[in-house]
Amino acid sequence: MPSYTVTVATGSQWFAGTDDYIYLSLVGSAGCSEKHLLDKPFYNDFERGAVDSYDVTVDEELGEIQLVRIEKRKYWLNDDWYLKYITLKTPHGDYIEFPCYRWITGDVEVVLRDGRAKLARDDQIHILKQHRRKELETRQKQYRWMEWNPGFPLSIDAKCHKDLPRDIQFDSEKGVDFVLNYSKAMENLFINRFMHMFQSSWNDFADFEKIFVKISNTISERVMNHWQEDLMFGYQFLNGCNPVLIRRCTELPEKLPVTTEMVECSLERQLSLEQEVQQGNIFIVDFELLDGIDANKTDPCTLQFLAAPICLLYKNLANKIVPIAIQLNQIPGDENPIFLPSDAKYDWLLAKIWVRSSDFHVHQTITHLLRTHLVSEVFGIAMYRQLPAVHPIFKLLVAHVRFTIAINTKAREQLICECGLFDKANATGGGGHVQMVQRAMKDLTYASLCFPEAIKARGMESKEDIPYYFYRDDGLLVWEAIRTFTAEVVDIYYESDQVVEEDPELQDFVNDIYVYGMRGRKSSGFPKSVKSREQLSEYLTVVIFTASDGAQGAAGQQGFGGYDWCSWIPNAPPTMRAPPPTAKGVVTIEQIVDTLPDRGRSCWHLGAVWALSQFQENELFLGMYPEEHFIEKPVKEAMARFRKNLEAIVSVIAERNKKKQLPYYYLSPDRIPNSVAI
């Protein structure tokens, strides 16, 4: 009688093992085996991290094995089981791999296909077509779209983390409990004695060191020592927390009536301001998005304020970017003066602090929350709804949406919800952050997520012209590496553009993103379908680059970026307690300190940037694919080349940083997480 050797691998995460009864049956082209209980006498089967082998003898030849059925039945109490994979050794000595990488919960039957990636057109056998269809029908019931707030990209229909399908939950919910992590952070930083001191101002700038000194590092200390300098202020628009706003100014806006006379002491080329604009030496950052956003009113004892500044910057003869004019609100007028480097020291400093605070709000809510977290969640939900596990694009993307839906659900539960932690210290809390996302949706376009196009659209592409823009340089290297990799994978499975166009599952995936993520907005430029291999490769590059927290997040929040630039509170105030100044010559240091966050809010802010800039303990970085969803040699070789390319980029960045007092490492692939999970 034919005999098969079945090898079963259990996951190594907490509680992955099971004591339940596990039955296996084989489905072949010539017949189906009986159900076999996988059990060895006097042995604890399916322990966490175990790889167990069993001999399964069948009554008759089964032909080519098409499916493996796994059935889990309760032994005592329901005991979830994480099955990594099953390997089958046939009577002829062939090995067949059946990847699973899923939680099996309750009394259920799970049907696995072998690991070869297949498009819908490759499945001609009825049983395989049926398996494919059933899997998607089940997933579409589990992964439902929901509108969390009007105008937002749609998100997962789950009120809290435990409502999510088990496969996308965190291994341990405790590790991502924001309330717990914030409190732990404040304890670790020895700042919990200040955390309830709301309304209590610091005495002076040096006083902020009381909550800073415990976790200082090279970059954050440099920020603390140099934050008042114009060079440091300008540098941050290129390589700081939010390097995605600065653009070359091609025409001075009417709403910023700045003249050559005002700024001539800052101009170094003996040219008029208009001539400097024509030569491409003037840059602008406009926080128009914040105009009219409601400031946080959740604490009746503290008034909080927002501004919508316009900041003009200049490339000096050393090719460094420095600020030359700041207007704190959008409509010019006597009560909205243009602040200049030639003004009184504290006038100019307070104007810069307002810009830094505005930059912090846009980074947190738009760059990080909307353009990284919420967009990646859309990619993840669409993938689970429209691509079966056997589809090559599912196998490619699944590592890049790991825990993304879970972290976003947790954030909606604790962080950005009404009365959430976000309200504690942020001037955009209490609803302002929701208004910002709604407003920013009109600028969320496909082109703006294509890294090279986004850089070009801001006129920032020339390395000769703008030599110190490391975010651009490293981002382009990473983008190109991902693009090369996705093109190779696409070419393996799609031999022509026609095959791309005729893949119904792929087209449904792309359409889901357009309809539910982009809310069917034509102006988003997101395609409703993909028509060629090249277009598919670019689309997948957008998904992976965004979901790897690279496009926006890694440059800021992840890998200590948020901590580096935002832990020195005067450099990134999360709130301001007095309105922007309406006249010059009246600002004092006392006034600045009373405008900056109080002790309590400073501590909540510091706890937040600390907690949000920690990597997960089991973090996977770009190019790491420990779950072997792909089994074919050509794809494994493409993955190895991808890793090699990424390692070369790591070396290039490390070499450059050796010579830098301020190293830039946020887009080094060994620091870019594979998915948005913090």
Side-chain angles (χ1 to χ4, degrees):
M1 287 192 295
S3 180
Y4 293 83
T5 303
V6 176
T7 303
V8 181
T10 296
S12 52
Q13 56 270 69
W14 286 105
F15 312 114
T18 187
D19 288 327
D20 283 356
Y21 296 112
I22 304 297
Y23 297 91
L24 172 135
S25 49
L26 304 174
V27 179
S29 55
C32 182
S33 77
E34 294 287 309
K35 232 167 40 170
H36 291 266
L37 175 64
L38 300 182
D39 185 37
K40 287 191 270 198
F42 314 113
Y43 178 76
N44 205 344
D45 305 272
F46 316 117
E47 287 289 280
R48 176 181 160 217
V51 178
D52 302 315
S53 288
Y54 304 87
D55 288 326
V56 172
T57 304
V58 298
D59 298 335
E60 55 193 1
E61 269 294 340
L62 300 176
E64 190 186 338
I65 300 298
Q66 293 164 339
L67 301 170
V68 168
R69 284 203 176 101
I70 293 287
E71 215 177 299
K72 187 166 85 68
R73 292 287 171 247
K74 190 162 71 177
Y75 167 66
W76 184 247
L77 296 167
N78 262 330
D79 194 7
D80 296 351
W81 179 39
Y82 189 87
L83 172 60
K84 284 169 72 176
Y85 60 83
I86 286 175
T87 305
L88 202 61
K89 185 185 177 190
T90 70
H92 307 294
D94 299 323
Y95 286 87
I96 311 171
E97 289 178 53
F98 293 84
C100 180
Y101 299 105
R102 278 159 54 196
W103 285 97
I104 300 176
T105 60
D107 285 3
V108 289
E109 180 184 81
V110 171
V111 184
L112 302 178
R113 287 187 58 164
D114 79 74
R116 290 169 300 172
K118 299 283 184 190
L119 300 177
R121 72 173 202 152
D122 301 327
D123 284 342
Q124 299 303 325
I125 303 162
H126 174 70
I127 194 170
L128 298 180
K129 286 180 177 178
Q130 190 185 35
H131 176 266
R132 201 173 189 115
R133 193 185 68 246
K134 271 189 175 168
E135 182 183 9
L136 289 182
E137 282 170 3
T138 305
R139 291 236 215 99
Q140 283 164 14
K141 285 175 192 158
Q142 288 180 311
Y143 295 83
R144 299 172 308 278
W145 295 105
M146 174 195 77
E147 183 178 68
W148 187 63
N149 260 305
F152 272 51
L154 295 196
S155 46
I156 194 84
D157 184 3
K159 285 197 170 60
C160 56
H161 182 266
K162 67 175 186 302
D163 293 345
L164 293 170
R166 183 70 180 89
D167 285 330
I168 59 168
Q169 289 183 23
F170 281 105
D171 298 335
S172 158
E173 195 182 348
K174 205 174 87 176
V176 285
D177 186 304
F178 288 112
V179 177
L180 199 68
N181 288 351
Y182 277 35
S183 310
K184 219 160 45 181
M186 286 189 265
E187 210 173 291
N188 291 345
L189 306 173
F190 304 101
I191 57 174
N192 38 0
R193 68 184 187 278
F194 298 115
M195 66 187 275
H196 300 298
M197 295 171 73
F198 289 92
Q199 290 82 53
S200 164
S201 292
W202 301 94
N203 298 321
D204 51 32
F205 294 142
D207 210 15
F208 282 98
E209 288 184 52
K210 285 180 181 161
I211 60 167
F212 176 79
V213 74
K214 294 290 174 193
I215 50 165
S216 50
N217 72 10
T218 320
I219 291 181
S220 55
E221 280 183 62
R222 200 167 171 81
V223 171
M224 178 184 77
N225 293 326
H226 299 279
W227 70 282
Q228 298 186 39
E229 296 166 16
D230 288 355
L231 276 173
M232 177 62 91
F233 179 89
Y235 176 88
Q236 289 182 72
F237 283 117
L238 296 177
N239 302 307
C241 211
N242 195 30
V244 299
L245 297 183
I246 187 168
R247 57 177 59 245
R248 199 186 288 275
C249 181
T250 51
E251 191 183 350
L252 291 167
E254 281 180 30
K255 61 184 180 180
L256 182 67
V258 64
T259 63
T260 301
E261 293 68 50
M262 287 178 172
V263 295
E264 66 187 334
C265 64
S266 299
L267 307 180
E268 298 179 354
R269 293 178 177 86
Q270 272 74 55
L271 299 172
S272 70
L273 181 57
E274 282 71 20
Q275 288 168 322
E276 293 280 17
V277 168
Q278 282 159 15
Q279 291 215 353
N281 297 322
I282 302 294
F283 298 83
I284 192 164
V285 180
D286 187 349
F287 294 94
E288 188 178 12
L289 182 90
L290 288 164
D291 191 28
I293 297 291
D294 293 333
N296 192 338
K297 295 184 180 67
T298 56
D299 179 358
C301 303
T302 305
L303 287 175
Q304 298 180 59
F305 298 89
L306 291 165
I310 308 167
C311 179
L312 210 60
L313 299 125
Y314 176 63
K315 185 182 76 171
N316 64 20
L317 288 170
N319 283 326
K320 300 288 171 67
I321 303 285
V322 289
I324 57 169
I326 294 170
Q327 182 178 287
L328 293 180
N329 277 304
Q330 293 286 306
I331 299 168
D334 294 343
E335 296 206 331
N336 186 20
I338 296 173
F339 291 95
L340 308 164
S342 52
D343 289 341
K345 177 184 174 181
Y346 292 128
D347 280 1
W348 181 233
L349 182 60
L350 182 56
K352 288 192 293 180
I353 291 172
W354 269 107
V355 172
R356 294 293 318 128
S357 182
S358 303
D359 193 53
F360 173 78
H361 295 310
V362 171
H363 169 256
Q364 278 228 308
T365 304
I366 307 308
T367 312
H368 195 66
L369 171 63
L370 171 60
R371 298 177 71 87
T372 306
H373 277 262
L374 299 183
V375 171
S376 295
E377 180 175 4
V378 166
F379 296 150
I381 299 169
M383 181 199 78
Y384 280 112
R385 285 175 58 82
Q386 304 298 353
L387 300 175
V390 72
H391 198 289
I393 304 305
F394 179 91
K395 290 171 180 278
L396 174 67
L397 296 182
V398 65
H400 297 289
V401 297
R402 176 177 177 262
F403 300 146
T404 299
I405 301 170
I407 195 76
N408 287 3
T409 303
K410 206 76 188 142
R412 286 187 285 270
E413 202 184 324
Q414 293 184 322
L415 196 61
I416 54 175
C417 53
E418 218 173 309
C419 306
L421 290 169
F422 198 79
D423 292 356
K424 286 257 187 215
N426 286 285
T428 51
H433 60 305
V434 172
Q435 294 169 3
M436 285 175 73
V437 170
Q438 289 164 334
R439 206 177 270 189
M441 277 296 282
K442 72 174 187 336
D443 300 318
L444 178 58
T445 62
Y446 181 74
S448 72
L449 293 176
C450 291
F451 190 79
E453 282 184 50
I455 295 287
K456 260 191 203 131
R458 294 188 285 111
M460 301 295 290
E461 69 273 22
S462 170
K463 291 188 183 190
E464 249 175 89
D465 240 9
I466 313 158
Y468 302 113
Y469 197 13
F470 309 125
Y471 166 73
R472 170 203 60 207
D473 301 343
D474 300 354
L476 286 170
L477 292 176
V478 173
W479 172 273
E480 212 36 62
I482 297 171
R483 181 75 193 257
T484 303
F485 172 52
T486 58
E488 286 185 33
V489 175
V490 166
D491 286 351
I492 291 167
Y493 294 103
Y494 295 90
E495 64 260 30
S496 69
D497 292 347
Q498 189 182 348
V499 180
V500 170
E501 212 170 341
E502 291 174 0
D503 179 352
E505 292 162 342
L506 172 67
Q507 301 303 343
D508 287 345
F509 164 68
V510 171
N511 189 55
D512 244 30
I513 290 167
Y514 173 73
V515 171
Y516 299 107
M518 298 309 124
R519 311 303 299 270
R521 281 184 311 111
K522 246 188 178 157
S523 59
S524 71
F526 265 77
K528 293 181 192 176
S529 60
V530 285
K531 304 216 181 318
S532 68
R533 296 195 293 180
E534 192 181 346
Q535 195 188 358
L536 174 55
S537 166
E538 181 185 73
Y539 197 94
L540 295 171
T541 306
V542 167
V543 174
I544 294 173
F545 193 78
T546 305
S548 297
D549 226 12
Q552 325 285 354
Q557 208 62 20
Q558 283 276 26
F560 281 96
Y563 167 64
D564 284 346
W565 298 101
C566 303
S567 57
W568 178 248
I569 283 151
N571 188 58
T575 189
M576 300 287 262
R577 294 179 296 141
T582 54
K584 294 188 181 190
V586 291
V587 178
T588 62
I589 178 119
E590 292 75 24
Q591 202 180 326
I592 294 179
V593 171
D594 284 342
T595 300
L596 286 168
D598 54 41
R599 292 167 194 251
R601 283 179 179 82
S602 299
C603 291
W604 278 98
H605 168 76
L606 199 54
V609 295
W610 172 255
L612 290 174
S613 60
Q614 302 302 297
F615 290 122
Q616 297 279 345
E617 54 185 77
N618 54 353
E619 192 76 70
L620 296 176
F621 295 97
L622 191 57
M624 293 166 85
Y625 298 100
E627 293 183 352
E628 294 203 35
H629 290 274
F630 281 115
I631 64 163
E632 297 98 316
K633 200 177 171 197
V635 193
K636 289 189 168 184
E637 287 170 350
M639 284 175 163
R641 283 191 293 274
F642 181 39
R643 276 191 292 274
K644 212 170 176 187
N645 285 347
L646 294 174
E647 282 161 19
I649 295 169
V650 170
S651 303
V652 167
I653 292 171
E655 192 54 41
R656 178 198 65 211
N657 282 341
K658 277 182 192 169
K659 309 175 191 110
K660 298 279 170 228
Q661 285 181 313
L662 255 180
Y664 184 82
Y665 49 75
Y666 307 115
L667 287 179
S668 183
D670 57 346
R671 289 171 178 262
I672 299 177
N674 229 349
S675 62
V676 184
I678 193 70

